[in-house]
Amino acid sequence: MTRLSLNQWTTRHWSVAEAVDGCARHGVPAIGLWREKVAEHGLAATAKLVRDAGLRVSSLCRGGFLTGDTWPRDNREAIDEAAELGAACLVMVVGGLPGVTPGGPPGPRASRDLAGARRRVAEALAALVPYAAERGVRLALEPLHPMYCADRAVLSTLKQALDLAEPYPAERVGVVVDTFHVWWDPEAPAQIARAGDRIASYQVCDQIHPLPADALLGRGIMGDGVIGFGPLTEAVRDAGYTGDVEVEIFNADVWAADPDEVLATVRARFDSLVRPALG
């Protein structure tokens, strides 16, 4: 289990302290933190708690939403928090079309200019990279499944994310490979190979079928859905990624279950479905 990381949203109802304690009790050596939870516990207090427990911070989620008007301050704060926590990367969910609220209908001024939204992302990234570099923080662009293009991420494929990252050093701008978001893409294996040392985070979960009414909650524990983890994990391994593997699940039934039971199941499924392909 030396590379397993619990993304905090998998056990959403656990506080930072409970999640850190859970990782320690279950022998999970790393944790992916969420800014909301960190704010509740306190930034300095979280950094100390994680450090004292001997855990790594595999990622901080999230920065991004670069297509709107409020991104500069929020993202600089996120970068500062990632630096304080010693996070391996700051996950960037880049944002959807301007004026489209996540999970809601388009507003009266919603944009339909997809190409323009992508240009906004590129311009914002150019402004943020120097700030992140000064603080030693790696930005990790996460492409999301195309069904989230309108409201959460105008980056839908690894190819798009890599094209956007390419002008910058790999240690400054990387990409997230998330099985839920890329498993469907016939170009994923080739793009994972292309990514190489730009892979900043490997996140795993399943896609349950049929999807629930709220597709955001369509992630399941590995083995509960339709994704084959062997080929994707082997591709990530062969690309040279040696970092933590985060289990990140958004699922109402998982959240309602006993977090200790969830974490025990995550460990078992990771051991049987993901770890063998890591080599």
Side-chain angles (χ1 to χ4, degrees):
M1 295 298 161
T2 57
R3 295 178 63 186
L4 175 61
S5 175
L6 172 69
N7 183 285
Q8 197 174 6
W9 225 241
T10 300
T11 52
R12 180 178 178 180
H13 299 301
W14 264 352
S15 66
V16 165
E18 290 168 330
V20 168
D21 177 67
C23 286
R25 287 187 290 101
H26 287 267
V28 177
I31 188 167
L33 294 170
W34 277 67
R35 294 178 65 202
E36 297 93 325
K37 298 288 190 179
V38 171
E40 290 173 4
H41 190 78
L43 178 59
T46 298
K48 183 178 187 305
L49 182 69
V50 173
R51 186 169 57 247
D52 290 349
L55 301 183
R56 300 183 296 272
V57 179
S58 53
S59 74
L60 178 64
C61 193
R62 61 172 169 65
F65 282 80
L66 306 175
T67 56
D69 298 323
T70 62
W71 64 264
R73 178 178 177 179
D74 183 62
N75 279 275
R76 291 189 181 102
E77 289 176 352
I79 290 167
D80 292 342
E81 292 162 14
E84 175 76 13
L85 294 165
C89 64
L90 173 64
V91 175
M92 303 291 288
V93 177
V94 299
L97 294 170
V100 180
T101 302
R109 293 183 154 182
S111 171
R112 270 78 175 173
D113 182 3
L114 181 56
R118 289 174 174 152
R119 285 194 298 272
R120 283 192 180 203
V121 172
E123 292 164 1
L125 185 65
L128 286 173
V129 169
Y131 188 87
E134 289 174 1
R135 287 148 183 82
V137 172
R138 190 182 198 188
L139 305 180
L141 301 173
E142 182 170 18
L144 302 193
H145 192 285
M147 62 185 162
Y148 303 120
C149 185
D151 64 345
R152 286 182 169 87
V154 294
L155 294 183
S156 302
T157 65
L158 274 174
K159 181 181 186 305
Q160 289 175 314
L162 288 166
D163 288 348
L164 188 59
E166 206 163 42
Y168 308 101
E171 66 271 17
R172 296 278 65 89
V173 182
V175 297
V176 179
V177 178
D178 184 315
T179 56
F180 180 84
H181 294 304
V182 306
W183 75 275
W184 59 274
D185 185 357
E187 292 191 16
Q191 294 303 320
I192 290 170
R194 172 192 171 195
D197 60 359
R198 282 199 190 274
I199 300 176
S201 178
Y202 181 40
Q203 297 181 335
V204 296
C205 71
D206 219 329
Q207 178 178 312
I208 61 174
H209 187 77
L211 286 168
D214 183 352
L216 186 68
L217 306 185
R219 295 166 172 255
I221 298 175
M222 300 82 72
D224 286 349
V226 297
I227 296 177
F229 293 94
L232 286 169
T233 303
E234 289 168 3
V236 169
R237 177 200 67 198
D238 293 345
Y241 181 71
T242 58
D244 293 316
V245 181
E246 267 187 33
V247 177
E248 182 187 53
I249 298 170
F250 292 45
N251 183 295
D253 292 335
V254 170
W255 291 341
D258 182 311
D260 277 299
E261 293 181 4
V262 169
L263 192 46
T265 302
V266 162
R267 275 195 49 139
R269 300 285 182 84
F270 177 86
D271 194 47
S272 63
L273 296 175
V274 179
R275 186 182 59 79
L278 289 172

